[in-house]
Amino acid sequence: MNNIRRKCLLSWQIPSIGFGLTFLLGLGLSYSNQDIRSEVQSVGLLVFTVLVVIGSYYTAQAFRSCQRYRNKNYLKYAIAGLSANLFLIFFVVTSVNKIYTLNYLLNITKYSLEEFKPRSNASKLPIWIDTDPACGQSATSDVDDCWALMLALRWQSLSSGESPKLNIRGISTTFGNTKGETTLQVARQVIGHLGGAARTPIYEGSHSSGSPEWKRILSL
């Protein structure tokens, strides 16, 4: 009976404790000075998925034990396990949806150069933003790029008086404060938080000073 009780306890202990430890570890690594946020997200979601599979197995065992031995404690463990696993499933699905949105839906790059030529509307000032935002990557990361990007996007959406409105033709990201792929993700997050600004196209620039694209630029 002790072995059965132990298995029933595992139905909620594995997903709950596993989630807590993995979440805290991932949170610590994400806010460290290392550029591994995307890797932490991928590994974390994989671990959570494994926890759901294992927790679901023990939850099913707990329900079977409850039905077989008519023990109310087993039923409590089974319900706790079911709740913990449903929470993990909700967390994984929500996280995957957010990552997909940031990495695919906001990656609007299919534009021709004709679309970025200044229009005849003199009330709008056409600009292009080339930036290397790294806010949120560590406790010491510069936040000036993110502030400037948010202010520009916000100013574009506001009605202006005598001052011309901004017409942001596009945003390009590059390495600098952090790696190029990280600055692209940060720019997407900033735009995603500003709702209506999601139509602004984002272009990915060089990832590092050793990339072929950067070497070609230096040779011009």
Side-chain angles (χ1 to χ4, degrees), residues 1 17 21 32 45 48 100 102 111 127 138 144 171 178 183:
M1 295 295 289
I17 298 175
L21 293 176
S32 67
L45 288 177
F48 291 153
Y100 175 78
L102 289 174
Y111 290 84
I127 65 170
S138 72
D144 54 325
I171 298 171
T178 184
T183 61

Side-chain angles (χ1 to χ4, degrees), residues 81-154:
L82 180 63
S83 301
N85 283 288
L86 287 177
F87 169 78
L88 264 182
I89 292 173
F90 173 78
F91 185 86
V92 169
V93 172
T94 304
S95 300
V96 169
N97 179 61
K98 289 184 177 179
I99 293 174
Y100 175 78
T101 301
L102 289 174
N103 288 277
Y104 296 98
L105 296 185
L106 295 182
N107 190 18
I108 308 171
T109 56
K110 296 181 179 179
Y111 290 84
S112 65
L113 293 178
E114 294 295 326
E115 297 183 47
F116 301 104
K117 289 183 178 180
R119 299 192 178 103
S120 58
N121 188 354
S123 65
K124 291 187 177 182
L125 179 64
I127 65 170
W128 185 283
I129 300 177
D130 185 64
T131 181
D132 59 337
C135 52
Q137 297 305 301
S138 72
T140 58
S141 293
D142 294 332
V143 298
D144 54 325
D145 291 77
C146 290
W147 273 111
L149 186 57
M150 287 189 291
L151 285 173
L153 291 167
R154 180 62 175 163

Side-chain angles (χ1 to χ4, degrees), residues 13 17 58 61 72 79 86 94 96 113 117 143 159-160 163 196:
Q13 288 179 342
I17 298 175
Y58 282 110
Q61 293 293 323
K72 292 182 178 181
I79 293 176
L86 287 177
T94 304
V96 169
L113 293 178
K117 289 183 178 180
V143 298
S159 58
S160 59
S163 301

Side-chain angles (χ1 to χ4, degrees), residues 177-192:
N177 291 323
T178 184
K179 295 187 296 185
E181 57 266 31
T182 305
T183 61
L184 176 66
Q185 185 180 21
V186 172
R188 286 174 178 160
Q189 291 174 341
V190 171
I191 289 180

